[in-house]
Amino acid sequence: MAFFKKFGEKLKNIFRSRKIDEAFFEELEDTLIEGDLGAKVTDEIIETLRKEARDNKLTEARDLQLKMKDILSRYVAPLNLDLPKDELTVWMILGVNGVGKTTTIAKMSKYFTKRGQKVLLAAADTFRAAAVDQLDIHADRLGMRIVKQRTGSDPGAVVFDAISSAQAQGDTLILADTAGRMHNKENLMKELQKMDKIIKAKNIKRENYKKFLVIDATTGQNGLSQAMLFHQAVGLDGVILTKYDSAAKGGALIQIGRLLELPIVFVCIGEGYDDIKPFDKEEYLDSLIGLDK
Ligand SMILES: Nc1nc2c(ncn2[C@@H]2O[C@H](COP(=O)(O)OP(=O)(O)O)[C@@H](O)[C@H]2O)c(=O)[nH]1
Ligand SMILES: [Mg+2]
C-alpha cells in the first residue's frame, strides 16, 4: 500500500540504528500523534514500549519495531466478507456528506456481484436531489438493480420496499445508501434510528443485518468523533475507510479499532470501481510501521 509510504518511512527511520533513549520515545510519540493515532492510544503504545524495553533490558530501537506491530495488531481486525449466498444480507451504509458512501456502494456492488451475490441497491439518501440520481447512474453503468423513490420521500420506506423486493426476487445483498447531513445531527440520528427499527422489524436474520460507517481517511481525528457519534446513535458493526490514496496517514483506523472495537471492512484507494480492497491487517500494519520495505 504505497499510500502509507511517508508515514511508514518516517517510523522506519525512527526505529533504525539508534539507541533507545528519551529522545527516541519523544520522537516516536510526536510521529504517532501526527499520524492520527490520538493522544490516548499513543500514550498507551509508548507506555507499553517503555515497559518492554525496561523488562527486557533492550537498548536498540529496532528491537521495539516488532513489539510495536504486536501492540497494534491487537487493536485492529478485519471483517469476514464471506456472505451467505442463500439468505438476504442487508448493509446500511452510513456517514457524513462527501466521505464517499455512494461511490463505495457502487464499488462494493461490483465486488460482491463478482463473488456470486445478487446485489440490490437501495437509494435511501432521499434528502439531496442529486443523491438518488448519482446512485442510479452507478446502477445503470454496473447493471445493478436499484430501488428508489422521489427525493424527499421517507428513507425508511425505501429500505422497506427494497427488502420486500429483494425477498421477492431472490436478491442476496442489499446495499442501502443513506443521507449524511451533519448540520442537522439530531434529525439525522432520529431518521437512522427509525430506519434501523424498520429493518429490524423485517424478516431477516439479525446477524445478516449490518451498519457500516464510511470514514474519509483525510479527515484524520474527525473520523473518530464521527464513529463515536454514529456508534452511539445506532450501533455500528464496522467501518470502511475511503480516500487512502490521498494524503491519508492511516492512524485513525488504529484508534477506531482500539477505542470502539470495530472491525475494518474495506479500504478504498481511488475513484474507480475497482479501487477497493478488503482490509488486510498484515499489509496495513507492515506499511504503517514501515516493515514492508
Ligand atoms: N480519491 C478518492 N476519492 C474518492 C474515494 N471515494 C470517494 N471518492 C470521491 O469523493 C467524493 C464524494 O463521494 P460520494 O460517494 O459522493 O460521497 P457521499 O456524499 O458520502 O455519498 C466523490 O468525488 C468521489 O469520487 C476514494 O477512495 N479515493
Ligand atoms: Mg451520496
Side-chain angles (χ1 to χ4, degrees):
M1 283 197 231
F3 31 96
F4 294 128
K5 220 174 160 177
K6 264 180 77 186
F7 186 68
E9 205 64 46
K10 211 165 171 185
L11 274 182
K12 187 180 170 183
N13 285 330
I14 290 177
F15 283 109
R16 188 155 44 194
S17 52
R18 66 186 289 180
K19 299 282 172 206
I20 296 172
D21 55 14
E22 207 40 43
F24 161 76
F25 283 117
E26 268 168 33
E27 202 181 324
L28 182 60
E29 184 172 352
D30 288 348
T31 306
L32 296 183
I33 297 275
E34 207 179 290
D36 287 336
L37 273 85
K40 196 170 163 193
V41 175
T42 296
D43 270 2
E44 191 177 88
I45 294 168
I46 298 287
E47 283 322 304
T48 312
L49 289 179
R50 276 187 199 276
K51 185 171 185 312
E52 176 78 10
R54 246 189 343 257
D55 291 355
N56 297 299
K57 305 202 163 44
L58 302 177
T59 55
E60 301 303 316
R62 66 167 180 277
D63 295 335
L64 285 178
Q65 195 174 14
L66 278 178
K67 179 64 193 175
M68 170 129 159
K69 184 178 170 184
D70 259 14
I71 300 171
L72 298 184
S73 192
R74 279 178 254 133
Y75 294 170
V76 286
L79 186 95
N80 176 17
L81 292 173
D82 280 331
L83 305 181
K85 295 219 167 81
D86 48 358
E87 291 168 2
L88 180 59
T89 293
V90 179
W91 281 12
M92 189 147 85
I93 308 303
L94 313 169
V96 307
N97 279 342
V99 291
K101 291 181 296 299
T102 308
T103 312
T104 304
I105 285 172
K107 292 172 182 172
M108 290 193 295
S109 72
K110 184 174 177 195
Y111 178 93
F112 283 113
T113 299
K114 264 196 190 157
R115 286 157 181 82
Q117 292 291 324
K118 282 187 72 192
V119 178
L120 174 64
L121 305 182
D125 180 357
T126 58
F127 191 70
R128 288 187 299 172
V132 176
D133 291 344
Q134 197 191 345
L135 192 65
D136 209 19
I137 290 167
H138 286 306
D140 201 44
R141 282 193 199 138
L142 291 164
M144 298 294 155
R145 224 160 67 72
I146 180 169
V147 166
K148 59 184 172 181
Q149 290 180 13
R150 280 188 329 277
T151 302
S153 55
D154 176 11
V158 177
V159 179
F160 185 94
D161 280 359
I163 294 173
S164 306
S165 174
Q167 284 169 337
Q169 301 283 324
D171 294 319
T172 57
L173 174 62
I174 293 178
L175 298 173
D177 203 2
T178 62
R181 49 199 154 103
M182 281 307 271
H183 56 275
N184 199 338
K185 243 185 255 179
E186 239 146 71
N187 275 354
L188 174 63
M189 294 307 154
K190 267 191 203 138
E191 184 178 286
L192 295 177
Q193 283 160 350
K194 199 174 133 197
M195 280 169 77
D196 193 45
K197 264 198 199 132
I198 290 173
I199 297 173
K200 282 177 181 159
K202 278 283 197 180
N203 185 23
I204 43 172
K205 272 199 194 159
R206 215 29 199 278
E207 69 261 33
N208 291 351
Y209 168 44
K210 299 252 149 75
K211 283 155 279 181
F212 296 125
L213 183 73
V214 177
I215 292 174
D216 176 340
T218 63
T219 60
Q221 281 285 105
N222 244 328
L224 181 72
S225 351
Q226 288 162 18
M228 284 174 158
L229 183 75
F230 279 85
H231 196 34
Q232 205 170 27
V234 289
L236 297 172
D237 299 292
V239 298
I240 296 167
L241 258 284
T242 57
K243 310 190 195 181
Y244 256 27
D245 48 310
S246 321
K249 295 167 208 145
L253 268 190
I254 300 285
Q255 282 198 81
I256 288 163
R258 174 69 184 98
L259 302 175
L260 302 177
E261 297 185 358
L262 291 172
I264 318 300
V265 189
F266 282 106
V267 174
C268 295
I269 43 174
E271 296 182 272
Y273 288 131
D274 295 320
D275 293 330
I276 184 165
K277 290 168 69 161
F279 177 62
D280 182 331
K281 182 163 139 171
E282 281 299 305
E283 189 187 16
Y284 167 74
L285 289 178
D286 284 350
S287 52
L288 189 73
I289 304 183
L291 277 168
D292 60 340
K293 294 150 240 136

